[in-house]
Amino acid sequence: MNARPSVLFVCVHNAGRSQMAAAWLSHLAGDRIEVRSAGSAPADTVNPAVVAAMREVGIDISANTPALLTYDAVATTDICITMGCGDACPVFPGKRYLDWQLPDPAGQDVASVRTIRDEIKALVEALIADLTDGPQPR
């Protein structure tokens, strides 16, 4: 792994779970970890309930755009974290893969998305502790 590890979050539409995970990791880890997200079949926009739920915790992802998952994105990352993308995520030897089983926020209201958001935050905090000397105080 590089001195500054890279993490790629992948879900199908890159409009909910992977967007929240990337936003939490960027927010909590700062520049200590390179953060990207992508989807195997990206949506046109980020889920509005996800944008609203993240805004509630002071993180603005309203300008984010879902991105297409590419082989290069996986090949150039240290850790690939999937969230319901199934077999669409390419596998490369020597990469670390994690699969976070999380409900899909698609079609859910903000109240339901809050629970997913908070679960993702806890997973991201554990990931930061695993990859660094722990979370930085904010």
Side-chain angles (χ1 to χ4, degrees):
M1 197 173 309
N2 301 320
R4 181 176 160 212
S6 60
V7 175
L8 172 65
F9 294 102
V10 181
C11 67
V12 175
H13 300 296
N14 190 223
R17 295 167 287 192
S18 57
Q19 290 283 345
M20 287 190 284
W24 273 125
L25 186 55
S26 293
H27 179 76
L28 296 171
D31 64 358
R32 297 181 295 161
I33 299 171
E34 180 185 345
V35 181
R36 292 176 284 167
S37 70
S40 55
D44 293 329
T45 61
V46 176
N47 179 329
V50 166
V51 172
M54 293 303 288
R55 187 175 289 128
E56 289 177 351
V57 294
I59 301 173
D60 183 7
I61 61 170
S62 62
N64 290 14
T65 304
L68 178 64
L69 176 65
T70 65
Y71 283 98
D72 275 351
V74 179
T76 60
T77 198
D78 295 310
I79 301 170
C80 182
I81 300 175
T82 58
M83 303 172 189
C85 70
D87 294 334
C89 187
V91 176
F92 290 90
K95 301 293 175 191
R96 181 175 169 194
Y97 292 88
L98 301 172
D99 185 44
W100 290 355
Q101 298 292 316
L102 297 160
D104 189 345
Q108 297 192 41
D109 62 12
V110 175
S112 299
V113 173
R114 283 184 195 116
T115 303
I116 301 166
R117 175 199 67 199
D118 296 345
E119 187 175 349
I120 290 172
K121 180 183 182 192
L123 289 166
V124 166
E125 288 172 333
L127 178 68
I128 293 169
D130 182 46
L131 296 177
T132 67
D133 294 330
Q136 288 181 334
R138 283 222 168 268

